[in-house]
Amino acid sequence: MSTCSVSKGCFVFKPNSKKRKIPSAADCFSEGTSDSEDSRQRFDTCQLLWKQVKCETEQLQEDLNKKLFDNLLRFLRQSHLDFKEQTTEWTCRMKSSEIPTAALVLGVNVTDHDLTFKGLSEVLQDGVTPFVASLRSKECPELHSSILIVVYFYHEGIKHLLQKLLTQLIGCHVDMDSAEEEEYPQISPNRIRCSVASLTDWYMNVTKKTDNGTPCKKPSSPPRHWNTPPVVVIFKDMESFTTKVLQDFIVICRYDGDIFTSDVALHYNFFLLGCAVFVFLSQCIHEIPLVLIFGIATSPMIIHKLLPHSVSSLLCIELFQSLSCKEHLIKVIDKLLLTSQFPFKLSEKVLQVLINIFLYHDFSVQNFIKGFQLSLLEHFYSNPLSVLCCELPEARKRVNFLSHNQCENIRRLPSFRRFVESQVSNKQTVLLTDDGCLKETVQALLQDLHSYHDNYFPILRCLHAFTSSLPKYPLGKQIRELHCACLEKKVWETEEYESVLQLVRMLAKDELVTILENCLEVIISSPAKLLGETVEKLEEYLGRFRNLEETNDVQEGSVSSLKEIQKKTDLYHLQKTLLEMKESRRCKKLTKFEMLRFEVVDFMDSLVRKHLLPAETQFLHEVMYFSSTHLLREHLNAAPRIALHTALNNPYFYLKNEALKDDAGCISNTAPDICIAYKLHLECGRLINLVDWLEAFSTVVIAAEGPNSTAKDQVDDIIQYPFLIPFWL
């Protein structure tokens, strides 16, 4: 839209009142798919499955953090016990003791810290105190020139910190009745001065009713918070905070006015003025039950690196250690992948990609879960037969409503084609032509696939119980390594498996009994119905081990042979006796324990060969297994160099602006300046003349204006600006 006017001015054009229709997630899910007849059903199944996975992971996170949060609550309760009983005692204590500080070591998986701190804040606000403030380093910056405020002498870093702290605390919810709210109205954070004195006055006003001992009505429900709730300040990323900001905040919150004597002020006039203001700010802070929580990603020693001894000595620090990210990942894999609860599965290569990203990139469990979510979404989006990836009763119903196109998709599956080739010729013809017979066969194959999962995971855990205690861990220390080995190929054909059998045949009786008891517990708790005979067999072996009595026949024979050797002094008879002992050892009769141990090992070997087949050997495994590793790498693997080159060399790839389309090898003047400079740089060798680079850049930029442009000089000044920056730095 354009307009003409005799004078220059700004004209406002109202946008069209018609609102653009925003497509729903289900509509976006069905876009671009050739098989869209059941896209809505696939989308609903994907959403339902993800909700179940999300609830499971959230519950797991809550269970893992429970012990840590309980220890933190115990620390808070112990730190403020005197303050809860009597305020005067707390005042005396605060003058002679340190600020309670919890050093929370969370590990290097920084992306997972937000979820932990969110859960901690909710626990504190639910049962301890409503006054919880979470601070980040980027929210409390410090200018290099520490500007002194006229009234408070705060530099910019501590000013931002106090501003963020007051904003969060004053905006929090406090349990009050209506009369109390009228007496102490909420103060707007925008109208309050950012100082420690303001924080003290606000806290005293909020807790004035309790401090004065005013009688109150009997509460209808038990109070959620303590009578004198503490003020908890959480520094989420302590390593990133400026040292000056942390030091000033701790010193301001700890000291009172008694430390600044007049003798010091007489010697330092300027210091006296600063101390007078400082005393005004700090004279009431000891009346606030303050608790600091430091979120640490590296090591607790960072506290002493950031804070000098004069500041760290003001803190009463207690160390808390969260569960390591590797142990957390083991729990997540156990809940999501090593179970038959969820029908969706990951192939060996996809699982290995996610684990490698975790181990060699960020150690983030949340990113691993997001990768699992991406795999789930891609599976249901790109695979039309994923509509059958659901619970077995529901899958049976959906098979009956499959269309002819979907039946053809099943016939094109490699695993189903392998199944058809294994049938007789008449059966093959029926399966390839009759949809009704195909549906009945698919229902039976889905039943076998679900039974395979029910039997696979218990036997996998039993095998891991045997291999996890062996020296050098031939099949891996973690169960995820054993799972990947079983998915990749037949594990009993590997050399590592043979070494496992040899080592298991050398286990002692106590070790075997313990392992068999663990296996029995695993199989009893599993939902597999076909493993009933396995339970009976394991119970039989345990009973035989308990009733086993070692015989001393072999030991008595060896003792008698040693006595004979000692009696013989002739060399001929000595050699003859040694040869006889060697022959007897070769033909040595196995003891009852050794025979039973060999029998147990053979039984477990038969279970492994029967139930731990690779998933690719199962018919219709494509319905439940996601195996597109290239899609996963494209979205998750970090490739900044390729992405930057693509953005600079072809900006249309990301911006999708038709004006940025250009022929291959041409440099368009409509491209962003940085793209033009980058393409000109690619035309040169290792070295480039800055003047020539500027001239070429100027030629490309002003190419559209023509040779008679009157604004050439002004444009040149603007063009020269980015090329002059290196000389200023």
Side-chain angles (χ1 to χ4, degrees), residues 229-240:
V231 176
V232 181
V233 183
I234 302 175
F235 295 87
K236 291 186 175 181
D237 48 347
M238 184 188 179
E239 290 93 343
S240 302

Side-chain angles (χ1 to χ4, degrees), residues 525-721:
S525 60
S526 67
K529 300 179 180 179
L530 300 179
L531 297 178
E533 297 180 358
T534 306
V535 174
E536 297 177 359
K537 201 69 175 177
L538 291 177
E539 291 177 348
E540 177 187 348
Y541 286 137
L542 285 173
R544 292 170 62 181
F545 271 116
R546 294 189 183 99
N547 299 329
L548 189 63
E549 294 181 359
E550 293 289 346
T551 60
N552 298 325
D553 298 338
V554 179
Q555 296 181 358
E556 292 177 356
S558 62
V559 171
S560 61
S561 300
L562 290 175
K563 290 181 180 180
E564 292 179 1
I565 293 175
Q566 292 174 358
K567 292 179 181 179
K568 304 296 182 181
T569 56
D570 186 69
L571 181 60
Y572 172 76
H573 291 89
L574 179 61
Q575 291 179 348
K576 183 179 179 181
T577 305
L578 291 175
L579 290 175
E580 291 176 355
M581 290 178 59
K582 186 176 181 181
E583 290 295 331
S584 64
R585 287 177 181 174
R586 289 180 179 177
C587 303
K588 174 184 170 182
K589 185 178 180 180
L590 297 176
T591 62
K592 292 183 179 180
F593 166 70
E594 292 174 340
M595 295 175 60
L596 182 58
R597 181 172 58 186
F598 274 87
E599 188 177 349
V600 169
V601 174
D602 293 339
F603 174 70
M604 289 304 304
D605 181 45
S606 64
L607 290 178
V608 169
R609 294 174 182 269
K610 181 179 180 181
H611 298 292
L612 293 189
L613 293 166
E616 294 181 354
T617 61
Q618 303 300 311
F619 303 121
L620 299 183
H621 69 273
E622 297 92 344
V623 173
M624 298 184 179
Y625 282 83
F626 175 74
S627 58
S628 301
T629 55
H630 64 282
L631 292 176
L632 208 60
R633 289 195 181 100
E634 182 181 349
H635 289 90
L636 297 181
N637 273 4
R641 186 171 183 175
I642 298 176
L644 289 175
H645 174 76
T646 304
L648 294 174
N649 195 37
N650 183 21
Y652 174 78
F653 183 82
Y654 291 104
L655 300 180
K656 302 301 180 183
N657 189 350
E658 296 295 333
L660 298 178
K661 276 188 174 181
D662 55 356
D663 299 331
C666 299
I667 303 178
S668 174
N669 62 336
T670 58
D673 292 347
I674 189 173
C675 298
I676 298 175
Y678 179 74
K679 288 186 176 182
L680 293 173
H681 183 272
L682 292 179
E683 295 179 354
C684 303
R686 292 183 58 187
L687 301 177
I688 185 171
N689 191 319
L690 193 60
V691 177
D692 296 340
W693 195 11
L694 171 61
E695 292 294 335
F697 179 79
S698 176
T699 302
V700 173
V701 170
I702 65 177
E705 299 181 3
N708 299 325
S709 177
T710 58
K712 181 178 180 180
D713 296 336
Q714 183 178 0
V715 172
D716 286 344
D717 294 338
I718 298 175
I719 292 174
Q720 290 180 10
Y721 175 75

Side-chain angles (χ1 to χ4, degrees), residues 108 354-364 367 636-639:
V108 295
L354 294 179
I355 293 176
N356 289 339
I357 292 175
F358 173 85
L359 293 177
Y360 303 110
H361 182 56
D362 54 4
F363 287 101
S364 175
N367 288 347
L636 297 181
N637 273 4

Side-chain angles (χ1 to χ4, degrees), residues 38 41-42 45 383-390 398 402 406:
D38 58 347
Q41 193 175 24
R42 281 187 285 140
T45 306
N383 188 358
L385 295 178
S386 60
V387 68
L388 302 178
C389 184
C390 55
R398 294 183 181 182
L402 291 178
Q406 291 171 325

Side-chain angles (χ1 to χ4, degrees), residues 395-442:
R396 287 177 175 273
K397 296 179 182 179
R398 294 183 181 182
V399 168
N400 295 326
F401 296 98
L402 291 178
S403 63
H404 178 71
N405 293 332
Q406 291 171 325
C407 292
E408 291 297 326
N409 290 333
I410 293 177
R411 294 186 176 101
R412 283 191 286 266
L413 291 178
S415 63
F416 187 79
R417 291 171 62 184
R418 188 173 67 250
F419 171 76
V420 173
E421 292 173 358
S422 64
Q423 305 297 314
V424 296
S425 58
N426 295 335
K427 184 69 173 179
Q428 292 179 4
T429 305
V430 174
L431 288 174
L432 296 177
T433 56
D434 188 0
D435 291 346
C437 181
L438 174 70
K439 293 178 181 180
E440 294 179 359
T441 306
V442 167

Side-chain angles (χ1 to χ4, degrees), residues 471-538:
K472 296 184 179 180
Y473 308 105
L475 289 177
K477 185 178 180 180
Q478 306 294 340
I479 192 173
R480 67 169 184 266
E481 300 172 357
L482 180 61
H483 178 55
C484 291
C486 294
L487 290 179
E488 183 180 6
K489 55 185 176 181
K490 296 178 180 179
V491 69
W492 57 87
E493 296 179 354
T494 61
E495 296 180 359
E496 293 80 5
Y497 184 78
E498 293 297 331
S499 63
V500 165
L501 293 183
Q502 294 177 4
L503 293 172
V504 171
R505 290 190 180 103
M506 300 170 60
L507 291 177
K509 175 184 174 182
D510 297 338
E511 295 175 332
L512 271 177
V513 170
T514 303
I515 293 174
L516 290 178
E517 289 176 349
N518 295 335
C519 294
L520 181 62
E521 182 180 354
V522 168
I523 295 179
I524 290 177
S525 60
S526 67
K529 300 179 180 179
L530 300 179
L531 297 178
E533 297 180 358
T534 306
V535 174
E536 297 177 359
K537 201 69 175 177
L538 291 177

Side-chain angles (χ1 to χ4, degrees), residues 78-79 86 223 319 342 379 449 484:
Q78 183 178 359
S79 301
Q86 192 172 356
L319 183 63
F342 304 110
H379 179 69
L449 187 59
C484 291

